[in-house]
Amino acid sequence: DFLMVKYVIGLLLLSCSVFAQTTLLDDISLQDVQRNTQLMNTDSAKYANQSFMIRSTSALQELETTASDKFKFQRISLRHTTQNNSKMPFGFNEGTMFPSVGFQRRWSLGLHFTWKFLDVNLQPEYVEAENLSTVPFAGSPQDGNYWTRVFFLINNNIDKYSRFGQEPLHYFYPGQSRIALKLGNVSTGVSTENNWWGPGFRNSLMMTNEASGFLHYFVQNRKPVITPIGTFEGKGLIGMLENSSYLSPEDKNFRPIWAGGIENKNNSVRMLKAFIVNWQPKWVPNFYLGYSYAHQIYFEDQGPQPGKPYVENPKMQLGAFLFRFALPKDHAEFYAELGQPDKLLGPASFFGDSTKTGFVIGGRKLFPLGKKQKSYLQLGIEFTQLQLMDPGLVIDNTQPGGEPLRLSWYTSTQVRQGYTQNAKMLGASIGPGSNSQNVYLSFHRGRSLLRLHAE
């Protein structure tokens, strides 16, 4: 059906200046309709035990698909998104779109069908962007080491681009596509869809739709698994992360100054292994606890060397605890995600080394309108912190005139592309070292909404 096309969001962002931007129409955003229905308590059976901390196109469709052993077209969708950035290359949770100045358009055609245990969703996306030039920035005239610090702290340890080349962009992506097998309560297959892990609305530490989806094999439960101690849900994936074919936009500024200060990165494909598991304790209804973990290495390692029978493949890892407490009777919820950027996170490391902790924390309250409650207002707030809380994690006190420490979120001296896919963040869109405070008020009716959003 074409109901997805009705979900239109108006978004006003407030920063140093005021500008307008349209939030993208995607399936992860559409799961907010299901999530709010749970909070409104209007379809409690359908969304019972759903944490909504594992969101994707497949998760959305699983809750909307009608079971059938016969060949059946479940959904046809057609979407067109237009965006215009007049001065700055802003972009948040855009998926296949780019942070670029000028007009940008994306077309998507989706076809979802099932047959017995086969589940196929073909949903490619085509993007074109003007990709106009931005206001040039040459650095700080008062700081002769400005670009050295930029590369030592950021560019040598992560690919996070503000511009992709200097020409108009035209790209075709497989988008939110998958081929899966449904075996009882388990779904497994290959996909290029985006995944959002965590309860956050604006940001999430581990997985968001900031970058384009990547090819991955996955296994997940279709419905929460009921056990004597509560319900469980989870998803695991193994995928291949790609590197951008473009140079960093800042390369032209630093290479004439000191080309040797630019790190030569291993450009082989990177393998990502990640999982998330959520538990709803039997004794606390609507309370969800979760844990997520991601680990990436270069797909091609160095292998044994003379005198070194074993060379460890460079790796990067990060983990997070998460929870969501839904209050359907009060039409409200609050949630949090807390993690660390360089560990297989456990209680000992988390509580013993809190200075590297990043977090997302927020809540929302719905106010039904009218007796039939077909429309409602929503008030939400969310805070994200990725800035390191201890300056000692940035400055090496033993070498005050030497290189900085590199311990920030998503950056790595081992996997120097950082936690990225095609030079865009896999995690929070604000990126390493950043903080974000959001408040929003929206009016909802069916699948339509109007939102005022300040950040």
Side-chain angles (χ1 to χ4, degrees):
D1 58 44
F2 289 89
L3 288 177
M4 302 300 179
V5 182
K6 291 179 60 182
Y7 194 76
V8 180
I9 304 173
L11 175 61
L12 181 66
L13 296 175
L14 305 178
S15 58
C16 294
S17 59
V18 179
F19 61 97
Q21 187 181 41
T22 302
T23 295
L24 300 185
L25 180 69
D26 57 44
D27 293 333
I28 290 173
S29 295
L30 285 167
Q31 281 215 268
D32 245 22
V33 178
Q34 299 172 335
R35 183 169 169 173
N36 284 351
T37 300
Q38 182 191 61
L39 296 181
M40 290 291 289
N41 208 21
T42 54
D43 200 348
S44 56
K46 184 175 182 179
Y47 301 118
N49 305 321
Q50 293 288 339
S51 73
F52 291 105
M53 295 196 293
I54 306 175
R55 284 167 275 167
S56 63
T57 295
S58 57
L60 172 79
Q61 293 178 350
E62 187 64 55
L63 288 170
E64 293 191 342
T65 298
T66 304
S68 175
D69 289 334
K70 298 180 180 180
F71 182 89
K72 182 176 182 179
F73 284 108
Q74 298 284 357
R75 184 182 72 159
I76 299 175
S77 61
L78 176 64
R79 303 173 186 171
H80 174 227
T81 303
T82 300
Q83 182 189 83
N84 180 39
N85 285 328
S86 58
K87 292 184 178 181
M88 299 295 291
F90 282 113
F92 303 94
N93 303 325
E94 292 184 324
T96 52
M97 296 179 76
F98 295 90
S100 65
V101 174
F103 276 98
Q104 183 170 187
R105 296 176 177 85
R106 178 169 67 188
W107 290 266
S108 175
L109 176 64
L111 177 63
H112 178 211
F113 65 87
T114 58
W115 179 56
K116 295 184 177 180
F117 52 80
L118 185 64
D119 177 35
V120 178
N121 188 63
L122 303 177
Q123 198 167 326
E125 298 171 354
Y126 176 73
V127 178
E128 62 176 22
E130 287 186 297
N131 197 29
L132 303 177
S133 60
T134 60
V135 178
F137 178 66
S140 174
Q142 291 79 29
D143 185 356
N145 288 321
Y146 176 84
W147 287 113
T148 302
R149 275 193 279 270
V150 167
F151 272 77
F152 277 20
L153 273 170
I154 306 171
N155 289 23
N156 283 346
N157 310 308
I158 190 171
D159 288 345
K160 186 180 185 300
Y161 291 4
S162 58
R163 193 183 182 194
F164 292 76
Q166 300 180 8
E167 302 296 329
L169 301 170
H170 303 272
Y171 279 93
F172 179 84
Y173 298 91
Q176 312 306 310
S177 299
R178 74 176 180 279
I179 301 176
L181 300 177
K182 294 183 176 181
L183 308 172
N185 194 31
V186 176
S187 177
T188 183
V190 293
S191 176
T192 56
E193 70 180 1
N194 284 106
N195 290 277
W196 187 293
W197 292 357
F201 164 80
R202 180 69 162 173
N203 288 295
S204 179
L205 299 181
M206 299 296 293
M207 287 275 181
T208 68
N209 56 350
E210 167 67 8
S212 60
F214 54 89
L215 180 64
H216 62 273
Y217 165 77
F218 71 91
V219 58
Q220 64 186 4
N221 62 283
R222 298 174 55 198
K223 297 180 180 179
V225 179
I226 301 175
T227 74
I229 62 172
T231 62
F232 289 85
E233 59 179 0
K235 184 171 187 175
L237 61 85
I238 299 176
M240 296 298 177
L241 302 178
E242 300 174 353
N243 306 317
S244 176
S245 59
Y246 297 98
L247 285 176
S248 164
E250 290 83 21
D251 187 87
K252 63 181 183 299
N253 296 319
F254 190 46
R255 189 168 294 276
I257 300 172
W258 182 22
I262 301 176
E263 189 70 33
N264 292 320
K265 301 182 179 182
N266 181 345
N267 283 315
S268 66
V269 174
R270 290 162 287 136
M271 177 184 291
L272 178 73
K273 299 178 182 179
F275 72 87
I276 180 173
V277 59
N278 299 321
W279 171 43
Q280 180 185 216
K282 177 182 179 181
W283 309 276
V284 189
N286 303 311
F287 181 67
Y288 306 89
L289 289 169
Y291 177 80
S292 58
Y293 173 74
H295 172 278
Q296 67 162 324
I297 60 173
Y298 289 111
F299 190 67
E300 298 177 2
D301 61 9
Q302 293 178 325
Q305 303 292 324
K308 296 181 179 180
Y310 174 75
V311 177
E312 184 179 3
N313 202 338
K315 66 180 180 179
M316 178 189 182
Q317 57 186 353
L318 57 162
F321 295 122
L322 43 150
F323 82 85
R324 174 176 176 252
F325 194 12
L327 304 166
K329 292 183 179 180
D330 298 312
H331 311 307
E333 68 171 355
F334 59 90
Y335 56 83
E337 183 178 12
L338 304 101
Q340 289 190 310
D342 58 352
K343 283 184 172 63
L344 174 61
L345 187 61
S349 63
F350 182 78
F351 292 105
D353 185 14
S354 61
T355 53
K356 298 179 189 176
T357 300
F359 65 80
V360 178
I361 185 168
R364 64 173 77 182
K365 168 70 175 174
L366 278 56
F367 302 91
L369 301 176
K371 294 182 179 180
K372 295 183 178 181
Q373 299 186 358
K374 290 186 177 181
S375 57
Y376 56 90
L377 294 175
Q378 177 180 255
L379 177 64
I381 187 170
E382 182 175 295
F383 301 98
T384 303
Q385 173 153 330
L386 298 179
Q387 175 187 348
L388 297 180
M389 302 180 191
D390 182 359
L393 296 173
V394 180
I395 301 170
D396 187 351
N397 291 325
T398 64
Q399 301 181 27
E403 296 184 9
L405 299 174
R406 305 173 180 88
L407 301 169
S408 188
W409 273 89
Y410 309 132
T411 64
S412 173
T413 57
Q414 297 295 310
V415 181
R416 291 190 177 271
Q417 285 80 11
Y419 192 59
T420 63
Q421 153 75 352
N422 269 330
K424 295 184 70 179
M425 304 303 307
L426 284 172
S429 62
I430 57 177
S434 300
N435 300 328
S436 171
Q437 302 84 36
N438 292 271
V439 61
Y440 56 92
L441 177 66
S442 52
F443 168 79
H444 298 247
R445 186 174 181 83
R447 289 179 179 260
S448 301
L449 71 83
L450 182 67
R451 173 177 290 130
L452 181 67
H453 179 187
E455 180 170 19

